[in-house]
Amino acid sequence: MIARLSSSASILHIPRLLALPRPPRITASLSSFHTSSRTAMTPKVKPAARVASQRKDVWSIVNEAAAACETPVINLGQGFFGYNPPDFVLQAAKDALERVDCNQYSPTQGRLRLRQALSGAYSKYWGRTLDPASEIVITSGANEGMLSAFMGFVEPGDEVIVMEPYFDQYISNIEMAGGTVRYVSLHPPEKGDSEICPASEWRLNMDELEAAFTDKTRMMVINSPHNPIGKVFSQQELRAIAELCVKHNVIILSDEVYDRLYYTPFTRVATLGPEIEDLTITVGSAGKNFYCTGWRVGWLIGKPHLIKYAGAAHTRICFSSVSPLQEAAAIGFEEADKEGFWEDSKTEMLGKMARFNEVWKELGLPYTEPDGGYFVLVNLSKVKLPENYNFPSYVAERPRDFQLCWFLIKEIGVAAIPPTEFYTPQNEKEAENYLRFAVCKDDDVLEAAKERLRGLKKFM
């Protein structure tokens, strides 16, 4: 089966390609270069503190472990899609490449056609017409959009409230702007070690949240549907959070990149009322919407007094974003409803989630049933790691989920992500038995992964 699958476009060789993008000979020479560069570095030549961390990050650990395996590893760790965008979007990209105007600079605010298409797609949720000229800016992916928002409003010494677990880029983006992160936890279900629980049971303690606000609080990040939990915050939860932000005059950065993949009622924060909208910047992603994470087309939506300054930061960060793919995304939004794409994409992803989660039921391993997105958190507290297993030091010193991750790669042949990477040290115990799996892959990849994961039986 593996030999057949390894020739598929999105499957088993991806981890090796990610880990080793160049042939070994070139990699070796680069390693030598970096070694000699470090040796030659003088005290006058040193990195800025904001990028100087020497701790090995989770992506390096996972990719290096996968690359060292003799048998290619099935990568369910990273949230890239294992298949192409829909044909009507892919064709739009090909056509755009033939046009002179699409191969030149876009306006810094983004191509007008895409801003108009986004206005057409989202105005119905806002209950008014979003102005493409002053309330939407196109960014180089959602991540650059968030960096632009932080750069536009956060000064050194300002505080930004972030819920943990968090998307790891939030932290570096905030710190790049000079901000300080204040953390509040989404607490896991009490029975998460023993029962399948809905994502809605991950709870935010509102007293803990209110205590996090200070006179230095400038912004708060909300992520719904949530990565990695899959929680879709209820309207009641969002209103309570947003009212605290209004009370303290705090800008809300609402990360809604999975806004087309929700399986329970979904509320957009900015639509909760005029005072809340006045403080809310909404983040979106064509990559998540149309299965093209490599396109790096995102956007921010907000009132003119917010978009003006986030857009000014965007101009200074990258000036403008990739033109032909903006055009293709615009056509995607223009055609999506007629193609029935949004409902089809939800139905397809729910099917993948159900298909993949069958294996956890077989094994008797509990997981968090997602309300949205394409990740599933699985609790592996029942998996017993062999005593004296030879973990590298940079894995052995991390929480148990890193050891589970390494073990699954080496012994099972499946890569997942340890979620304590998205926690502060004081709260990482809450997630040390979980791993995050991405199901946005072809069905045959998911079936191959399930077959390998059945190998966990002998370690339970």
Side-chain angles (χ1 to χ4, degrees):
M1 177 183 291
I2 292 175
R4 178 177 62 82
L5 288 172
S6 65
S7 64
S8 182
S10 65
I11 314 177
L12 304 181
H13 283 246
I14 283 178
R16 288 195 171 193
L17 293 173
L18 287 170
L20 296 174
R22 301 175 178 86
R25 180 179 59 82
I26 300 177
T27 302
S29 65
L30 284 175
S31 299
S32 301
F33 170 79
H34 289 308
T35 301
S36 61
S37 296
R38 285 196 298 271
T39 303
M41 186 177 287
T42 69
K44 291 182 179 179
V45 180
K46 63 179 183 179
R50 70 180 70 91
V51 295
S53 173
Q54 297 302 306
R55 190 184 198 189
K56 190 180 284 284
D57 66 88
V58 66
W59 314 109
S60 297
I61 291 173
V62 170
N63 288 333
E64 289 173 13
C69 293
E70 291 184 6
T71 301
V73 173
I74 301 176
N75 188 351
L76 301 186
Q78 292 179 294
F80 58 82
F81 293 88
Y83 38 88
N84 267 336
D87 289 343
F88 67 96
V89 174
L90 205 58
Q91 187 59 50
K94 294 175 182 178
D95 292 343
L97 287 170
E98 299 292 334
R99 291 171 46 188
V100 172
D101 64 307
C102 289
N103 286 306
Q104 309 306 319
Y105 294 124
S106 291
T108 185
Q109 196 174 350
R111 292 184 68 82
L112 179 59
R113 184 173 185 177
L114 178 53
R115 286 182 279 130
Q116 290 173 332
L118 289 167
S119 175
Y122 285 94
S123 290
K124 60 186 176 184
Y125 304 115
W126 265 248
R128 65 178 184 84
T129 300
L130 295 168
D131 182 3
S134 63
E135 296 185 305
I136 301 171
V137 63
I138 308 305
T139 59
S140 296
N143 187 41
E144 189 263 312
M146 289 185 278
L147 176 61
S148 297
F150 293 131
M151 288 291 191
F153 291 99
V154 175
E155 299 275 16
D158 287 344
E159 294 178 352
V160 181
I161 297 173
V162 172
M163 297 178 214
E164 55 181 342
Y166 46 76
F167 174 52
D168 55 345
Q169 290 294 313
Y170 297 154
I171 310 309
S172 55
N173 285 352
I174 293 165
E175 291 174 347
M176 282 274 188
T180 300
V181 184
R182 291 289 296 264
Y183 298 92
V184 291
S185 278
L186 281 168
H187 299 290
E190 291 182 5
K191 297 181 179 179
D193 285 351
S194 57
E195 296 180 9
I196 298 172
C197 297
S200 59
E201 290 188 8
W202 287 70
R203 297 290 187 184
L204 177 66
N205 183 304
M206 292 304 297
D207 292 334
E208 292 175 0
L209 175 59
E210 185 153 24
F213 284 86
T214 73
D215 58 1
K216 296 181 180 179
T217 307
R218 181 67 162 160
M219 296 181 76
M220 179 174 180
V221 180
I222 301 173
N223 178 206
S224 181
H226 187 277
N227 171 19
I229 294 171
K231 177 182 175 72
V232 171
F233 286 82
S234 69
Q235 185 176 110
Q236 181 181 6
E237 288 174 314
L238 291 175
R239 189 174 296 281
I241 295 166
E243 286 176 352
L244 279 176
C245 292
V246 170
K247 176 182 175 181
H248 294 276
N249 194 36
V250 166
I251 295 168
I252 300 166
L253 187 69
S254 186
D255 179 356
E256 299 178 10
V257 298
Y258 301 99
D259 70 331
R260 299 292 177 167
L261 292 172
Y262 57 88
Y263 321 124
T264 192
F266 170 62
T267 300
R268 301 171 193 278
V269 178
T271 67
L272 290 172
E275 286 185 307
I276 296 170
E277 184 185 4
D278 282 344
L279 289 170
T280 302
I281 300 172
T282 300
V283 185
S285 166
K288 300 296 193 297
N289 287 170
F290 294 119
Y291 316 156
C292 50
T293 58
W295 285 18
R296 315 310 295 145
V297 175
W299 55 85
L300 303 175
I301 297 174
K303 285 293 192 70
H305 63 270
L306 298 172
I307 294 303
K308 177 180 179 180
Y309 299 107
H314 160 72
T315 301
R316 286 151 182 80
I317 292 168
C318 65
F319 181 69
S320 67
S321 301
V322 60
S323 291
L325 302 182
Q326 287 188 53
E327 190 75 4
I331 294 168
F333 277 104
E334 292 167 359
E335 301 295 326
D337 285 327
K338 289 181 281 187
E339 296 282 343
F341 175 70
W342 303 126
E343 287 305 315
D344 286 350
S345 66
K346 279 196 287 188
T347 300
E348 180 182 38
M349 199 63 72
L350 269 174
K352 291 179 182 296
M353 196 73 72
R355 175 190 292 272
F356 181 64
N357 287 337
E358 289 170 353
V359 73
W360 309 123
K361 295 174 183 176
E362 290 177 30
L363 293 168
L365 292 174
Y367 59 91
T368 295
E369 189 77 61
D371 296 330
Y374 48 65
F375 297 113
V376 58
L377 281 179
V378 181
N379 190 295
L380 300 174
S381 57
K382 295 179 182 178
V383 174
K384 307 304 179 187
L385 296 173
E387 290 186 20
N388 302 317
Y389 190 84
N390 187 25
F391 294 108
S393 59
Y394 54 83
V395 172
E397 68 189 13
R398 301 293 289 270
R400 184 174 185 266
D401 60 334
F402 272 79
Q403 295 152 35
L404 285 165
C405 169
W406 184 272
F407 185 77
L408 256 69
I409 290 171
K410 294 296 186 180
E411 306 300 330
I412 304 298
V414 176
I417 294 297
T420 62
E421 178 78 358
F422 313 134
Y423 277 85
T424 53
Q426 56 265 37
N427 290 318
E428 62 189 14
K429 292 288 287 184
E430 291 193 322
E432 69 174 0
N433 287 317
Y434 286 91
L435 286 178
R436 188 197 78 174
F437 296 83
V439 305
C440 50
K441 315 296 179 182
D442 283 326
D443 288 347
D444 53 355
V445 177
L446 297 177
E447 288 298 330
K450 285 164 60 179
E451 184 58 35
R452 293 189 183 189
L453 288 165
R454 292 183 179 105
L456 286 171
K457 286 180 183 178
K458 60 179 175 285
F459 302 106
M460 295 172 62

